[in-house]
Amino acid sequence: MKIAILSRNKRLYSTRRLVEACIARGHEVRVLDVVRCYMNISQEKPELHLGGELLEGFDAIIPRIGASVTFYGTAVLRQFEMMGVFPANESVAISRSRDKLRSLQLLSRVGLGMPKTGFANSPGDIEDLIKMVGGAPLVIKLLEGTQGIGVVLAETRKAAESVIEAFMGMHTNILVQEFVKEANGSDIRCFVIGNRVVAAMIRQAPEGEFRSNLHRGGSAHLVRITPKERATAVKAAKTMGLNIAGVDILRSERGPLIMEVNSSPGLEGIEHATGKDIASMIIENIEKNCKPDKTRTKGKG
Ligand code: ADP
Ligand code: MG
């Protein structure tokens, strides 16, 4: 097969590992810098170009679109889908998962557990919003934050009020969430491929920090997950329409609560924590599913 990886940087661990796995399994592979791709949308036949070259002949594409280029990246991916190239994750599913509020609404529809979450627009509603999620301490999140940036723990009602007020004053969209104390600064990352959790790790925040993101200095270990956690992760990925996903779960007194579903989960942490060759599993999954024009939406989403 001829496989393209949409990534900004060839040197990133995840990109390098995917390239290695493609080669090891006998495929031709190319890393395309997503922001350097440009497209011709005016013709009957959709085209993609890069540095003067017409991009063609790809069987499959693996999107690794960074949060800062979601808009442009999903447009490029959509163009590939219109050309009939098989995407490891579809553009619509990636767009969905990048918006924390939209994701939680979708997950709540199918009855998956999540921390009590509120969303409001008017400063006049802050007091009630705080009450609604159970009062302080509570977590405030930017709708499109990532790597733990934009996630704030407000320990008192007063602190919560002023942080929410400040964000609203800047017209920044945030959600307000019950703080799941008993998680103790840890969460479970379930790596889903197809309809299976292929690896799971527990991430622990450093002392004095509640965010377990590895980018925030968290540490990761192999973990055995419960059947309920497994089923929750698979259902969450499926609900988002993601074939490959990192589903983050908090262990709470009332069972697994989904925090978020990532569409470009990193490979470094999970491969090191579990010793598994996740990159090869991703390529294997593509080999199994890749057929021309198999995108569900064909760029229509
Ligand atoms: P990001 O997209 O920036 O990773 P997350 O929503 O995943 O944002 O939050 C980052 C981290 O903060 C999580 O991995 C978790 O450790 C912690 N966290 C987030 N929400 C909660 C919550 N409601 N209760 C307890 N801890 C939380
Ligand atoms: Mg996260």
Side-chain angles (χ1 to χ4, degrees), residues 117-183:
T117 304
F119 184 61
N121 182 250
S122 165
D125 299 321
I126 293 178
E127 203 187 316
D128 200 33
L129 184 68
I130 293 177
K131 249 191 247 146
M132 219 171 63
V133 300
L138 55 79
V139 176
I140 299 158
K141 290 184 194 183
L142 299 184
L143 247 42
E144 294 190 0
T146 183
Q147 304 185 345
I149 300 163
V151 180
V152 180
L153 175 61
E155 311 236 18
T156 66
R157 186 175 55 84
K158 226 46 236 146
E161 275 174 11
S162 41
V163 176
I164 298 170
E165 235 168 53
F167 279 127
M168 282 184 174
M170 295 188 302
H171 302 287
T172 305
N173 280 323
I174 50 155
L175 54 79
V176 175
Q177 203 164 63
E178 153 200 14
F179 176 53
V180 183
K181 226 186 277 112
E182 63 270 26

Side-chain angles (χ1 to χ4, degrees), residues 180 182 251-255 257:
V180 183
E182 63 270 26
R251 281 183 166 165
S252 83
E253 279 156 2
R254 55 180 203 276
L257 303 179

Side-chain angles (χ1 to χ4, degrees), residues 21-227:
C22 283
I23 294 169
R25 300 184 67 87
H27 303 297
E28 193 183 323
V29 58
R30 211 169 133 189
V31 178
L32 305 174
D33 183 353
V34 64
V35 302
R36 298 289 318 283
C37 296
Y38 49 98
M39 46 204 133
N40 187 340
I41 328 179
S42 59
Q43 292 188 327
E44 226 172 83
K45 187 167 157 279
E47 284 179 359
L48 264 166
H49 299 250
L50 189 140
E53 175 201 356
L54 177 68
L55 295 173
E56 54 188 352
F58 289 102
D59 301 296
I61 180 142
I62 307 176
R64 302 285 314 175
I65 297 168
S68 60
V69 293
T70 300
F71 179 77
Y72 197 78
T74 48
V76 170
L77 180 59
R78 204 153 48 232
Q79 191 80 354
F80 274 109
E81 290 166 4
M82 286 161 63
M83 291 156 53
V85 181
F86 175 80
N89 269 335
E90 292 191 25
S91 56
V92 270
I94 296 173
S95 304
R96 246 180 235 139
S97 73
R98 285 288 154 88
D99 178 338
K100 287 184 204 277
L101 178 64
R102 186 174 175 194
S103 307
L104 289 177
Q105 287 178 315
L106 286 168
L107 299 173
S108 84
R109 277 179 45 180
V110 294
L112 286 166
M114 64 187 63
K116 254 185 253 158
T117 304
F119 184 61
N121 182 250
S122 165
D125 299 321
I126 293 178
E127 203 187 316
D128 200 33
L129 184 68
I130 293 177
K131 249 191 247 146
M132 219 171 63
V133 300
L138 55 79
V139 176
I140 299 158
K141 290 184 194 183
L142 299 184
L143 247 42
E144 294 190 0
T146 183
Q147 304 185 345
I149 300 163
V151 180
V152 180
L153 175 61
E155 311 236 18
T156 66
R157 186 175 55 84
K158 226 46 236 146
E161 275 174 11
S162 41
V163 176
I164 298 170
E165 235 168 53
F167 279 127
M168 282 184 174
M170 295 188 302
H171 302 287
T172 305
N173 280 323
I174 50 155
L175 54 79
V176 175
Q177 203 164 63
E178 153 200 14
F179 176 53
V180 183
K181 226 186 277 112
E182 63 270 26
N184 270 321
S186 73
D187 73 351
I188 312 281
R189 157 63 58 96
C190 299
F191 205 105
V192 178
I193 301 180
N195 47 20
R196 230 160 54 82
V197 175
V198 298
M201 64 177 169
I202 182 162
R203 299 179 299 192
Q204 178 67 49
E207 190 68 33
E209 172 63 74
F210 78 102
R211 295 166 299 180
S212 61
N213 301 66
L214 301 184
H215 287 97
R216 306 262 69 76
S219 56
H221 305 279
L222 181 72
V223 69
R224 182 177 284 276
I225 57 171
T226 66

